[in-house]
Amino acid sequence: MGSGGAAAASLSSSEGTDPLISELRKKHQLELEKLTLTMQPFRTLKFFFFATVQDLKILLLYILRKGGWYKVLSILVVAFCLLLLAVDGSHEKHVQEFLSYARFGLWWVALGVASSIGLGSGLHTFVLYLGPHIALFTIKAMQCGRVDLKNAPYDTIQLKKEPSWLEKDCLEFGPPLYPSSPGSLVRVSVSRILPEVQLEAVLWGIGTALGELPPYFISRAAHLSGSTLEAMEELDAASSNDDGFISASLKKIKHWLVSRLQHLNFLTILVLASVPNPLFDLAGIMCGQFGISFWKFFLATLTGKAIIKAYIQTIFIISICNNQLLELVEDKLICVFGPTVSVLLPDIIAKLHRVKDKYLTGPVPTPGPSAPKAKQWNLTITTIWNTFIWLMLMNFTVKIVQSTAQKHLKRQQDLELTDKLSRSRESSAD
């Protein structure tokens, strides 16, 4: 990675004196742009396969060379786990419980990683999974008047698995513990619902923090090798070539952020990680470029994303679904505008509640000639939602494959450019 960046820097300096090098760089850039699954599918998959094999080979050699104790410990752990799974006994129930917790943790952490990895091209898993899960649990708690709906902490939405409480009738949980009050829209408060969904929110936040590490490590490797990160150079080139209003605005924001990030500290990284921030990938790149220590960057990112940001988003979703935010807005409007608004608000809020109840209960099927047609199409919200999720997953996979293949081709191109430059220098010396 570092040798490739140094080679690119030296080639950039000699580009003006050697037209062959300049022509070769243009040819390589055109090859990178064409290396996509739509234009060159077989070539892209071939480079992706070679890149994956090469990375696995490097990892395996590193483990074999330096991971003696790691190998011994891994073999012992795997053998112990296989023994527990193979032998029947009283421990079998505890093993299944442990596996359920492991699947639960890996699922939400993986969703968090998928949300933040990829320099802005990640899958928006909060909107697709965590947000709807929190909203559904809050609505169910409001309907049933109690929060002890889960059989276990891992009783959540997972891959090809719905939570057990989602389709249950409220009578199966018992009588309401929090009866509705005539003078309040809130039946179950945020403080009672939050402990039931905070674990999955924190795990998702940990995943988002882990997903921010690749840009930091790539930039730090470039910093240690003494080269400039190619992503920053390409971003500068793209901004300078386009004089549009949006591009100019993004360029100003980027340069302002870079000028402020030159004096990064724990608090600055914490603030940037604690709010929805599409430019945080740039913050990770600059932290690596300016030599910020790993633990300072990771602990600030982890605290901001897994605790502050995760709790802010979770409380916001709960407040919307349990009417606490609506009640707060109503009180503030009455306080600001006086009795005029207080006369109109009840009617408006009643209409909003009727629309919400109609949406939650769903349409009542009516007999008639239109029923077979609806059954034939079977176009439900669940079908549309699952189709949307699969399209997002396919798009995310395509981006990963193309990016990996293009990086492998870029490494080969850097080696070719380095060889070409050395030959050019030798011929000029002769």
Side-chain angles (χ1 to χ4, degrees):
M1 185 73 188
S3 60
S10 61
L11 286 168
S12 177
S13 62
S14 62
E15 184 177 341
T17 59
D18 194 343
L20 295 177
I21 297 296
S22 176
E23 193 68 26
L24 188 60
R25 287 175 67 89
K26 292 179 181 179
K27 176 187 174 184
H28 285 172
Q29 183 63 31
L30 186 62
E31 289 179 354
L32 286 174
E33 293 175 356
K34 290 183 177 180
L35 191 66
T36 61
L37 287 173
T38 54
M39 301 181 69
Q40 297 178 343
F42 296 106
R43 191 163 182 254
T44 304
L45 290 174
K46 183 183 75 172
F47 277 104
F48 173 74
F49 175 76
F50 288 153
T52 305
V53 170
Q54 184 178 0
D55 291 340
L56 291 176
K57 180 181 177 182
I58 293 173
L59 177 63
L60 183 61
L61 290 176
Y62 176 81
I63 294 174
L64 292 176
R65 186 173 62 252
K66 295 186 176 180
W69 284 106
Y70 176 78
K71 287 185 292 184
V72 174
L73 183 61
S74 299
I75 293 173
L76 291 175
V77 170
V78 171
F80 180 71
C81 293
L82 291 175
L83 181 64
L84 288 177
L85 292 174
V87 178
D88 296 332
S90 59
H91 64 278
E92 191 172 359
K93 183 178 71 172
H94 301 290
V95 171
Q96 293 301 324
E97 188 81 0
F98 173 78
L99 291 177
S100 298
Y101 275 104
R103 283 193 294 265
F104 162 75
L106 289 174
W107 167 253
W108 288 110
V109 171
L111 287 180
V113 172
S115 177
S116 60
I117 201 169
L119 290 173
S121 62
L123 191 67
H124 303 290
T125 53
F126 182 85
V127 178
L128 295 175
Y129 290 98
L130 183 60
H133 165 69
I134 297 171
L136 288 172
F137 186 88
T138 304
I139 292 170
K140 194 72 174 181
M142 289 286 291
Q143 291 174 344
C144 300
R146 54 195 304 151
V147 296
D148 53 343
L149 308 177
K150 295 182 180 180
N151 293 330
Y154 51 78
D155 188 12
T156 64
I157 295 175
Q158 295 184 35
L159 184 62
K160 296 182 179 180
K161 179 184 176 184
E162 290 185 350
S164 63
W165 46 264
L166 188 59
E167 299 296 335
K168 283 185 178 181
D169 190 86
C170 289
L171 297 176
E172 299 182 42
F173 299 107
L177 299 178
Y178 310 106
S180 56
S181 174
S184 176
L185 297 172
V186 181
R187 187 176 187 181
V188 186
S189 64
V190 173
S191 60
R192 291 190 173 98
I193 299 176
L194 182 61
E196 302 297 325
V197 294
Q198 63 182 354
L199 181 56
E200 45 265 41
V202 170
L203 289 172
W204 179 86
I206 292 173
T208 60
L210 294 174
E212 301 292 352
L213 293 181
Y216 170 81
F217 283 129
I218 294 172
S219 179
R220 185 169 176 81
H223 167 73
L224 294 176
S225 65
S227 61
T228 305
L229 195 64
E230 293 176 5
M232 294 297 297
E233 295 176 352
E234 292 173 1
L235 194 56
D236 283 329
S239 300
S240 60
N241 292 334
D242 191 355
D243 295 329
F245 174 75
I246 297 178
S247 177
S249 301
L250 289 176
K251 184 178 179 182
K252 289 180 180 178
I253 294 173
K254 187 201 73 172
H255 284 295
W256 178 87
L257 186 60
V258 169
S259 64
R260 299 302 187 275
L261 291 179
Q262 291 180 358
H263 306 286
L264 282 167
N265 53 33
F266 185 90
L267 183 60
T268 306
I269 303 170
L270 179 65
V271 171
L272 291 173
S274 301
V275 296
N277 182 14
L279 296 177
F280 190 78
D281 286 322
L282 180 59
I285 291 173
M286 300 313 299
C287 285
Q289 195 69 28
F290 295 139
I292 302 298
S293 66
F294 167 76
W295 287 113
K296 178 187 287 188
F297 171 76
F298 181 66
L299 289 178
T301 305
L302 184 66
T303 305
K305 288 185 172 291
I307 298 178
I308 301 176
K309 182 182 175 183
Y311 273 92
I312 289 175
Q313 292 176 321
T314 304
I315 291 173
F316 179 73
I317 296 294
I318 296 174
S319 301
I320 291 178
C321 295
N322 78 333
N323 298 327
Q324 198 153 342
L325 187 62
L326 182 62
E327 188 175 60
L328 179 64
V329 171
E330 180 185 359
D331 293 340
K332 293 298 181 182
L333 287 175
I334 293 175
C335 180
V336 172
F337 295 102
T340 305
V341 178
S342 63
V343 175
L344 300 175
L345 273 178
D347 185 48
I348 298 174
I349 292 174
K351 290 181 180 179
L352 289 175
H353 279 294
R354 283 197 296 269
V355 172
K356 184 191 74 171
D357 294 337
K358 184 179 179 181
Y359 172 75
L360 292 177
T361 55
V364 179
T366 56
S370 61
K373 185 177 180 181
K375 188 175 182 180
Q376 180 182 357
W377 283 99
N378 196 24
L379 190 61
T380 61
I381 295 177
T382 304
T383 304
I384 298 173
W385 184 253
N386 289 335
T387 304
F388 175 71
I389 289 176
W390 277 110
L391 289 176
M392 291 285 290
L393 287 171
M394 290 171 61
N395 179 58
F396 184 58
T397 305
V398 166
K399 288 182 178 180
I400 290 177
V401 171
Q402 291 181 171
S403 176
T404 306
Q406 289 171 357
K407 287 179 182 178
H408 185 72
L409 178 60
K410 188 69 168 63
R411 286 197 292 263
Q412 293 185 352
Q413 291 175 348
D414 288 342
L415 293 175
E416 182 182 355
L417 285 168
T418 305
D419 183 63
K420 186 73 175 178
L421 181 61
S422 61
R423 290 183 182 179
S424 177
R425 287 175 177 174
E426 289 175 0
S427 60
S428 62
D430 294 339

